[in-house]
């Protein structure tokens, strides 16, 4: 059992190193969600909240960048940069740069 617990702890720490998102306090999370939806409405012209909700569920800056570029293209770059900063992701360097292994 000790080995299993140690393995789980190691896995948790690895996820944190790879950019796992910090949990936002409820009030801050609500403000962030409102900002996300507002910005996406400006970019897409749609009131559909699906993309914003999905992006908020992601745990790494690289995942966010990949999906924003797929769905919004180059026009979403500024939104993506601000999204990552505002979500306060761990291990944030520069969205778009490859992490060195």
């Amino acid at each position: 059992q000790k080995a299993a617990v140690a393995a789980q702890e190691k896995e948790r720490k690895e996820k944190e190193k790879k950019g796992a998102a910090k949990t936002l306090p409820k009030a801050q999370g609500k403000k962030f969600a409102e900002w996300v939806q507002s910005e996406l409405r400006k970019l897409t012209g749609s009131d559909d909240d699906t993309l914003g909700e999905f992006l908020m569920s992601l745990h790494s800056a690289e995942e966010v960048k990949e999906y924003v570029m797929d769905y919004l293209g180059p026009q979403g770059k500024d939104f993506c940069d601000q999204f990552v900063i505002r979500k306060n992701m761990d291990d944030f360097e520069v969205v778009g740069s490859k992490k060195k292994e």
Side-chain angles (χ1 to χ4, degrees):
Q1 273 185 331
K2 278 187 177 183
V5 171
Q8 287 176 340
E9 182 64 18
K10 183 178 178 183
E11 183 178 336
R12 183 187 65 78
K13 287 181 180 180
E14 284 298 316
K15 284 182 182 178
E16 287 179 0
K17 285 181 185 177
K18 291 181 180 177
K22 294 180 179 176
T23 303
L24 297 171
K26 266 190 180 179
Q28 186 179 357
K30 185 176 179 183
K31 279 179 109 172
F32 177 67
E34 289 170 355
W35 175 83
V36 168
Q37 299 308 344
S38 171
E39 292 300 307
L40 286 174
R41 275 186 216 104
K42 291 176 195 174
L43 287 168
T44 65
S46 172
D47 285 340
D48 186 356
D49 293 343
T50 308
L51 178 59
E53 290 172 7
F54 175 70
L55 292 174
M56 288 184 285
S57 74
L58 298 176
H59 294 291
S60 78
E62 286 301 313
E63 287 179 307
V64 170
K65 179 188 178 292
E66 181 180 332
Y67 283 103
V68 168
M69 291 301 134
D70 284 350
Y71 286 96
L72 301 176
Q75 72 184 23
K77 185 187 182 319
D78 289 339
F79 165 76
C80 183
D81 293 345
Q82 283 299 307
F83 180 96
V84 171
I85 291 167
R86 288 173 184 248
K87 190 158 183 187
N88 195 22
M89 291 188 172
D90 292 333
D91 200 28
F92 174 73
E93 294 172 2
V94 176
V95 174
S97 67
K98 297 284 182 192
K99 292 181 182 175
K100 296 176 184 171
E101 297 294 324

